[in-house]
């Protein structure tokens, strides 16, 4: 049974030989910890024998108490801790920290019980297994562990990364949280938004995002059904890794400008591939490369296995090398013609086929990340003391928070509206009508992320520029939000796409 102490008893322990203090009604004995304290011993001696709750939360994240829980020796008699310590799977009670459909007092027409079961199951999985590894790998730059991949595969989480479809039918999805046959784009939205809550942007892409954008090309365009199933089984089981290799130093959004070539051998049985690819996510550790190439009369897509002539090198970017971002060299790589995905010289259709889903998923993720920053700023502004007041008491800070909340909620609402259309349109209609709106949505939220990152750093000050401590989540976001403004199509390109699609529908209307 935990010991209890009076505040007078704690006050006596303020000497060199015995140093105690109180944080949130819990008593900590830091006598042996003083020399090891990262902030120096003088800070601890200033609060010896006192209630240090306000001082502690002015300098530390709540999670620090969990890290040093062995220093807690009891509680203050007649008192209970007031600060919420979230458990795996818990919803945040901070206003706007969760989308409105997860806030008890609000209703939504879009979600049913299966979405709520899935959300709960994914959050428990993420909090328990993903976040601890994500934080560690973001720092050390190592790639995702096979142990975590195996866990994800076992729970059907790799299957769900591709969105709704027959590939989910009969698959055990998180121990029955949702049936594969009923999995829709709102389940997909839940998976994506819950999955990025680990706040480790490099690891987020390293968590097999190459599968999300690369495997659909195999699933939909490989002609040999037996081979297609074998490859999909390997990837879904986590035994093989795949990536999409389109971008080059010569061509990013300008896909038609690719220079990697694929020339047929005289006997017509193979392609010989030569060229380079750059900024390929997961390329460093992938076994398979869905590769855009120039053939004799246009653009084609080949499925290339790692082997002789394929070389990958790590590219260091603003986020962690846990993403496996690669520079790839193809040097006289011999590829069977059976590895052609789709039709020769019509590869643009293969590449474009998954753009809507990729961009939509990126919008899901960025909105969730913005919401996390809103939560961080609300917490910080309530606990940080400046000039004798909490930050939240400053009108300028409240104005910044209002802007951040409004941008996040507006984009979430737009996202859900588009997701509803996706649930009620066949693929052909999605391609015809949603490319523009999804492009505009992605542009909108990455522009919002720019504003939110700026305001968040101003609220956190120097801590928002520091990779550890109170502002680490804001620092990460500020350093990496531009990835989503570039990957999957630059803001300017997608904005133009949205307007050009609208132009095609423009009637002969006059003012």
């Amino acid at each position: 049974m935990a010991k209890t102490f009076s505040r007078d008893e704690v006050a006596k322990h303020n000497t060199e030989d015995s140093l105690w203090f109180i944080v949130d009604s819990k008593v900590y004995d830091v006598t042996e910890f003083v020399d090891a304290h990262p902030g120096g011993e003088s800070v601890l001696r200033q609060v010896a024998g006192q209630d240090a709750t306000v001082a502690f939360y002015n300098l530390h994240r709540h999670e620090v108490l969990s890290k040093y829980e062995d220093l807690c020796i009891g509680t203050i008699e007649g008192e209970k801790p007031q600060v919420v310590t979230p458990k795996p799977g818990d919803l945040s009670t901070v206003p706007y920290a969760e989308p409105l459909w997860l806030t008890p007092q609000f209703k939504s027409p879009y979600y049913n019980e299966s979405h709520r079961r899935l959300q709960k199951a994914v959050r428990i999985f993420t909090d328990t297994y993903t976040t601890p590894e994500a934080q560690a790998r973001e720092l050390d730059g190592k790639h995702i562990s096979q142990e975590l991949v195996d866990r994800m595969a076992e729970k059907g989480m790799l299957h769900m990364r591709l969105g709704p479809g027959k590939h989910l039918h009969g698959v055990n999805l998180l121990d029955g949280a949702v049936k594969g046959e009923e999995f829709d784009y709102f389940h997909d939205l839940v998976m994506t938004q819950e999955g990025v809550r680990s706040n480790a942007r490099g690891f987020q892409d390293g968590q097999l995002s190459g599968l999300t954008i690369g495997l659909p090309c195999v699933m939909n365009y490989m002609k040999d059904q037996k081979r297609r199933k074998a490859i999909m089984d390997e990837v879904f089981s986590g035994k093989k890794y795949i990536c999409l290799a389109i971008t080059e130093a010569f061509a990013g959004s300008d896909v038609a400008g690719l220079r990697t070539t694929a020339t047929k051998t005289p006997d017509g049985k193979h392609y010989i591939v030569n060229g380079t690819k750059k900024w390929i996510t997961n390329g460093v550790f992938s076994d398979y490369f869905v590769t855009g190439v120039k053939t004799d009369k246009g653009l084609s897509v080949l499925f290339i296995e790692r082997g002789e002539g394929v070389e990958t090198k790590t590219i260091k970017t603003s986020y962690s090398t846990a993403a496996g971002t690669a520079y790839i060299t193809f040097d006289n790589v011999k590829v069977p013609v059976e590895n052609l995905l789709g039709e020769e010289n019509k590869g643009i259709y293969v590449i474009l086929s998954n753009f809507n889903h990729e961009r939509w998923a990126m919008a899901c993720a960025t909105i969730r990340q913005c919401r996390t920053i809103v939560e961080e700023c609300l917490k910080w502004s309530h606990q940080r003391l400046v000039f004798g007041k909490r930050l939240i008491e400053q009108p300028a800070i409240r104005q910044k928070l209002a802007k951040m909340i409004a941008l996040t909620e507006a984009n979430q609402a737009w996202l859900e509206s588009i997701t509803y259309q996706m649930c009620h349109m066949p693929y052909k209609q999605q391609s015809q009508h949603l490319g523009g709106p999804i492009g505009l949505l992605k542009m909108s939220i990455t522009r919002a992320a720019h504003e939110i990152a700026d305001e968040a750093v101003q609220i956190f000050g120097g801590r928002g520029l520091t990779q550890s401590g109170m502002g680490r989540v804001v620092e990460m976001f500020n350093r990496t939000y531009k990835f989503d403004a570039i990957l999957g199509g630059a803001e300017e390109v997608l904005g133009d796409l949205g307007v050009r699609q609208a132009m095609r529908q423009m009637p002969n209307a006059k003012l």
Side-chain angles (χ1 to χ4, degrees):
M1 189 171 182
K3 290 185 177 181
T4 59
F5 305 91
S6 68
R7 287 181 175 268
D8 288 341
E9 189 174 356
V10 174
K12 297 175 183 178
H13 293 269
N14 62 354
T15 66
E16 292 277 342
D17 299 326
S18 183
L19 199 164
W20 295 9
F21 57 69
I22 304 163
V23 175
D24 191 28
S25 299
K26 293 182 179 180
V27 180
Y28 292 84
D29 181 352
V30 295
T31 309
E32 303 298 326
F33 177 68
V34 170
D35 292 337
H37 183 233
E41 64 176 83
S42 64
V43 178
L44 296 182
R45 297 201 183 282
Q46 289 170 11
V47 295
Q50 303 173 35
D51 189 323
T53 303
V54 173
F56 177 86
Y57 286 112
N58 203 31
L59 296 171
H60 299 88
R61 299 180 68 89
H62 182 62
E63 64 205 41
V64 172
L65 294 179
S66 298
K67 182 178 180 181
Y68 295 106
E69 62 183 351
D70 58 313
L71 299 177
C72 181
I73 58 173
T75 60
I76 297 298
E77 58 187 7
E79 298 183 16
K80 292 183 179 180
Q82 300 299 309
V83 179
V84 177
T85 300
K87 299 185 292 296
D90 281 357
L91 294 173
S92 174
T93 55
V94 174
Y96 300 105
E98 303 288 359
L100 294 184
W101 74 275
L102 288 175
T103 307
Q105 58 267 39
F106 291 93
K107 304 291 184 284
S108 171
Y110 299 129
Y111 304 90
N112 59 38
E113 283 307 308
S114 68
H115 298 107
R116 296 180 186 279
R117 287 195 306 271
L118 181 65
Q119 181 277 325
K120 179 76 171 179
V122 180
R123 182 163 296 195
I124 291 173
F125 185 97
T126 300
D127 291 350
T128 305
Y129 301 112
T130 307
T131 298
E133 177 165 332
Q135 292 299 318
R137 298 294 79 80
E138 192 73 23
L139 290 175
D140 64 26
K142 296 179 181 178
H143 306 145
I144 188 170
S145 70
Q146 189 61 45
E147 180 183 4
L148 181 57
V149 173
D150 290 344
R151 284 186 187 275
M152 293 168 63
E154 179 188 355
K155 300 296 184 182
M157 297 177 78
L158 300 184
H159 287 76
M160 288 188 277
R161 296 285 290 275
L162 266 60
K166 292 182 179 178
H167 63 284
L168 292 174
H169 293 188
V171 178
N172 179 22
L173 304 178
L174 281 164
D175 300 320
V178 59
K179 294 180 180 178
E181 292 77 5
E182 66 179 358
F183 190 96
D184 64 17
Y185 286 107
F186 280 102
H187 293 104
D188 198 359
L189 183 158
V190 168
M191 279 291 301
T192 304
Q193 293 201 325
E194 288 296 321
V196 303
R197 290 180 58 261
S198 296
N199 302 315
R201 188 61 185 83
F203 183 86
Q204 176 184 316
D205 281 357
Q207 198 177 348
L208 308 189
S209 64
L211 177 156
T212 308
I213 57 178
L215 192 57
C217 299
V218 175
M219 182 171 70
N220 296 317
Y221 291 98
M222 179 166 276
K223 298 180 181 68
D224 186 334
Q225 294 187 17
K226 185 177 179 181
R227 181 128 189 267
R228 177 179 64 195
K229 184 180 184 305
I231 293 168
M232 290 178 64
D233 287 347
E234 287 179 322
V235 175
F236 282 144
S237 67
K239 295 176 182 176
K240 295 287 187 179
Y241 301 147
I242 192 170
C243 67
L244 182 66
I246 304 296
T247 303
E248 300 178 0
F250 310 102
S253 296
D254 178 21
V255 175
L258 298 181
R259 295 191 186 182
T260 297
T261 61
T263 306
K264 267 187 180 174
T265 54
D267 61 8
K269 294 183 178 180
H270 294 86
Y271 292 99
I272 304 299
V273 178
N274 285 282
T276 60
K277 298 292 177 180
K278 195 170 185 180
W279 302 296
I280 305 305
T281 305
N282 298 176
V284 170
F285 55 81
S286 281
D287 303 288
Y288 300 139
F289 305 83
V290 175
T291 310
V293 296
K294 282 183 68 175
T295 40
D296 58 346
K297 295 180 182 178
L299 180 68
S300 300
V301 178
L302 294 177
F303 176 81
I304 301 177
E305 299 185 49
R306 184 182 286 274
E308 186 177 354
V310 179
E311 182 180 348
T312 58
K313 298 178 181 178
T314 298
I315 297 176
K316 291 186 177 181
T317 65
S318 299
Y319 63 23
S320 174
T321 52
T325 308
Y327 183 83
I328 305 174
T329 302
F330 297 106
D331 186 10
N332 290 321
V333 179
K334 197 173 184 179
V335 181
V337 293
E338 292 80 13
N339 285 23
L340 176 69
L341 301 178
E343 302 300 321
E344 188 175 82
N345 302 315
K346 295 183 180 180
I348 189 66
Y349 298 109
V350 179
I351 295 170
L352 293 177
S353 66
N354 198 48
F355 266 174
N356 278 354
H357 185 260
E358 176 188 2
R359 292 163 178 169
W360 171 85
M362 292 179 72
C364 292
T366 305
I367 292 168
R368 176 62 243 194
Q369 289 158 353
C370 288
R371 189 175 297 283
T372 296
I373 298 304
V374 168
E375 180 179 15
E376 291 283 306
C377 289
L378 279 166
K379 287 179 176 177
W380 177 240
S381 59
H382 277 80
Q383 70 193 69
R384 175 62 171 164
L385 294 176
V386 181
F387 304 117
K389 293 182 178 181
R390 296 180 304 164
L391 270 180
I392 195 67
E393 295 177 52
Q394 302 291 345
I397 298 299
R398 296 199 297 271
Q399 190 64 31
K400 291 177 184 296
L401 290 167
K403 177 181 177 182
M404 297 163 69
I405 292 166
L407 287 170
T408 301
E409 292 298 339
N411 280 282
Q412 176 78 19
W414 192 5
L415 169 68
E416 291 177 344
S417 175
I418 287 177
T419 303
Y420 183 80
Q421 310 312 316
M422 292 167 67
C423 289
H424 291 82
M425 284 186 185
Y427 175 78
K428 187 175 181 180
Q429 286 186 23
Q430 289 185 35
S431 301
Q432 182 181 356
H433 299 298
L434 294 184
I438 289 173
L440 290 170
L441 171 65
K442 181 174 176 294
M443 181 199 75
S444 174
I445 187 54
T446 55
R447 280 290 84 202
H450 176 82
E451 298 290 330
I452 289 169
D454 181 62
E455 300 291 14
V457 172
Q458 293 304 117
I459 290 172
F460 271 79
R463 288 173 173 81
L465 302 173
T466 306
Q467 291 190 20
S468 60
M470 302 297 291
R472 64 174 178 80
V473 176
V474 168
E475 188 282 331
M476 164 76 65
F477 184 73
N478 185 53
R479 174 163 44 87
T480 61
Y481 76 89
K482 289 299 288 186
F483 279 87
D484 297 296
I486 302 297
L487 274 61
E491 286 178 348
E492 296 79 5
V493 173
L494 297 188
D496 186 57
L497 168 66
V499 175
R500 284 189 292 108
Q501 189 174 91
M503 288 169 63
R504 290 198 295 270
Q505 305 297 325
M506 188 67 184
N508 186 16
K510 300 291 187 288
L511 291 175

